[in-house]
Amino acid sequence: MAISTRKAAAGAIAGVGLMALLAGCASAPSTGDGGSTGAASDFLPCMVSDAGGFTDKSFNQLGYEGLTEAAKELGVEPITVQSDKADDYKPNLQSLADQGCSLIVSVGFALSADTVDAALANPDVDYAIIDDAADNDFDGKVDAPNIKPILFDTVQAAFLAGYAAADYSKTGVVGTFGGQPFPSVQIFMDGFAEGVAYYNEQKGKSVQVVGWDVAAQTGSFTGGFEANDTAKQLARTLIDQNADVLLPVGGPIFLSAIAEIQETGKDIAMIGVDADLYETNSENKGLFLTSILKGMKAGVADTVTEAGGGKFDAAAYIGTLENEGVGLAPFHDFESKVSPTLADELDTIKKGIIDGSIKATSVSSPVK
């Protein structure tokens, strides 16, 4: 059964725009080979996953790829450790500190409190956390001076995806659902719905969004981030409401949506999140209209490289359309199926969002 939530229920978390996105279960890959370029001889970059694991084809995997890419460039061997459950976070973080890690990267909101505790207990170790502001007392400040938040204003890219979905839809209905009502999930849904609304305004249309209400901050959630029957049922609920474009937000729940689409046999397009799922889930590539991209790989790689060069900076990184920290994937197999004017329209909208003439906003945005 879907879980419905309201802005009031999200409370202080959504209010301060903290970020999170959990993924589903997978095994960790082996650590990458060291490269040949120089770094401080004792620099040791490390990473701890959330319960999703490093081969989720999405959130954790992108962070892992950024870590290993930077480590290879620096000529060092990273240490990675997978968390199989929430109880693993604290001991995994302390284990990495005990092994002499110079920089420890945590993947996601779920590790926020434990990462803050670890950073305060180990002030000589640098930390970074993906998709979280590390502000657990909600005072607008990072809770430890040695933590760098790596954040993404995903509402901007999701706005473009919503516009594209509305333009592509044949039924006039598009749908979205999430794993859990964390701000980093809701920010996708906000942008998606706002992009549809902008399309309607510009084109004099009335494309409907099912699964999310921006004003009420109420929507449809599976209650977790696993590919399971609950996610399939929720996808079916949206399909039964005539949605022909689906945006599942939250790790491998998109796999359940794909399974449901295939069972129905209907002509329904998908929009991916985080990575370009046309590439990372190539066995189902024909279903993806586009994907909403977050530059987690680049953000982590830059953070690790700077730290390896002795230039760690705890100031938050915020990915935007302007700095290409977020973006929209190509239409790939849908290139011939979308409107011939759509790409140019999206370029114009992107410029408008960057210069501020078009507003893409979310209560979950890291930009205030």
Side-chain angles (χ1 to χ4, degrees):
M1 176 177 286
I3 297 173
S4 181
T5 185
R6 292 187 174 274
K7 179 178 177 181
I13 296 178
V16 299
L18 294 179
M19 307 283 287
L21 184 59
L22 303 180
C25 295
S27 299
S30 58
T31 55
D33 294 332
S36 58
T37 58
S41 60
D42 59 350
F43 179 70
L44 179 57
C46 303
M47 176 175 284
V48 56
S49 81
D50 70 8
F54 290 114
T55 58
D56 62 354
K57 299 183 179 182
S58 184
F59 189 72
N60 287 272
Q61 181 171 325
L62 289 172
Y64 172 83
E65 290 175 355
L67 173 76
T68 54
E69 178 182 281
K72 183 175 182 179
E73 180 181 336
L74 293 167
V76 298
E77 186 76 13
I79 297 175
T80 61
V81 59
Q82 176 173 310
S83 304
D84 295 321
K85 56 185 184 303
D87 289 346
D88 293 340
Y89 300 152
K90 184 180 289 292
N92 283 347
L93 285 162
Q94 189 56 50
S95 173
L96 291 177
D98 292 343
Q99 292 179 70
C101 294
S102 309
L103 171 70
I104 300 173
V105 183
S106 301
V107 183
F109 172 92
L111 284 85
S112 184
D114 289 327
T115 300
V116 169
D117 289 344
L120 293 173
N122 301 281
D124 295 331
V125 179
D126 294 327
Y127 289 80
I129 185 164
I130 301 172
D131 251 1
D132 185 76
D135 177 21
N136 294 294
D137 58 6
F138 311 117
D139 66 353
K141 300 176 183 178
V142 178
D143 293 342
N146 51 333
I147 301 179
K148 181 183 185 70
I150 302 174
L151 306 173
F152 302 90
D153 200 20
T154 330
V155 65
Q156 297 183 347
F159 188 104
L160 300 177
Y163 186 97
D167 191 68
Y168 173 79
S169 177
K170 307 300 188 294
T171 65
V173 181
V174 298
T176 181
F177 67 98
Q180 288 182 278
F182 293 143
S184 66
V185 173
Q186 293 168 263
I187 193 172
F188 280 94
M189 300 164 85
D190 281 344
F192 183 73
E194 288 175 9
V196 172
Y198 185 76
Y199 175 85
N200 289 337
E201 175 188 313
Q202 296 298 305
K203 302 286 188 175
K205 303 289 186 178
S206 55
V207 178
Q208 180 186 0
V209 177
V210 292
W212 184 243
D213 183 327
V214 174
Q217 290 287 289
T218 302
S220 299
F221 297 90
T222 66
F225 293 91
E226 298 79 25
N228 56 25
D229 285 341
T230 302
K232 278 189 66 180
Q233 291 166 9
L234 194 45
R236 183 57 181 260
T237 297
L238 301 182
I239 293 170
D240 286 346
Q241 294 178 72
N242 216 25
D244 63 353
V245 182
L246 296 184
L247 170 66
V249 186
I253 65 171
F254 78 89
L255 295 171
S256 299
I258 288 173
E260 190 60 38
I261 290 170
Q262 292 171 337
E263 287 185 15
T264 66
K266 293 186 176 181
D267 185 14
I268 296 169
M270 293 273 294
I271 295 178
V273 300
D274 297 337
D276 185 348
L277 296 188
Y278 179 93
E279 297 177 348
T280 63
N281 191 248
S282 58
E283 60 268 35
N284 296 301
K285 64 183 183 180
L287 289 173
F288 291 105
L289 171 63
T290 185
S291 293
I292 302 164
L293 306 178
K294 293 167 67 173
M296 289 179 286
K297 179 178 178 179
V300 171
D302 287 349
T303 299
V304 174
T305 301
E306 289 173 3
K311 298 179 181 179
F312 176 80
D313 180 1
Y317 166 85
I318 299 178
T320 64
L321 286 176
E322 185 172 16
N323 65 18
E324 299 184 346
V326 299
L328 199 64
F331 292 122
H332 295 299
D333 292 350
F334 281 80
E335 194 70 47
S336 62
K337 302 177 183 179
V338 300
S339 167
T341 64
L342 180 57
D344 288 341
E345 290 174 31
L346 291 174
D347 283 343
T348 299
I349 295 168
K350 177 180 176 180
K351 292 174 183 176
I353 292 173
I354 291 172
D355 68 27
S357 60
I358 296 175
K359 303 298 181 184
T361 61
S362 171
V363 294
S364 299
S365 172
V367 179
K368 300 302 178 185

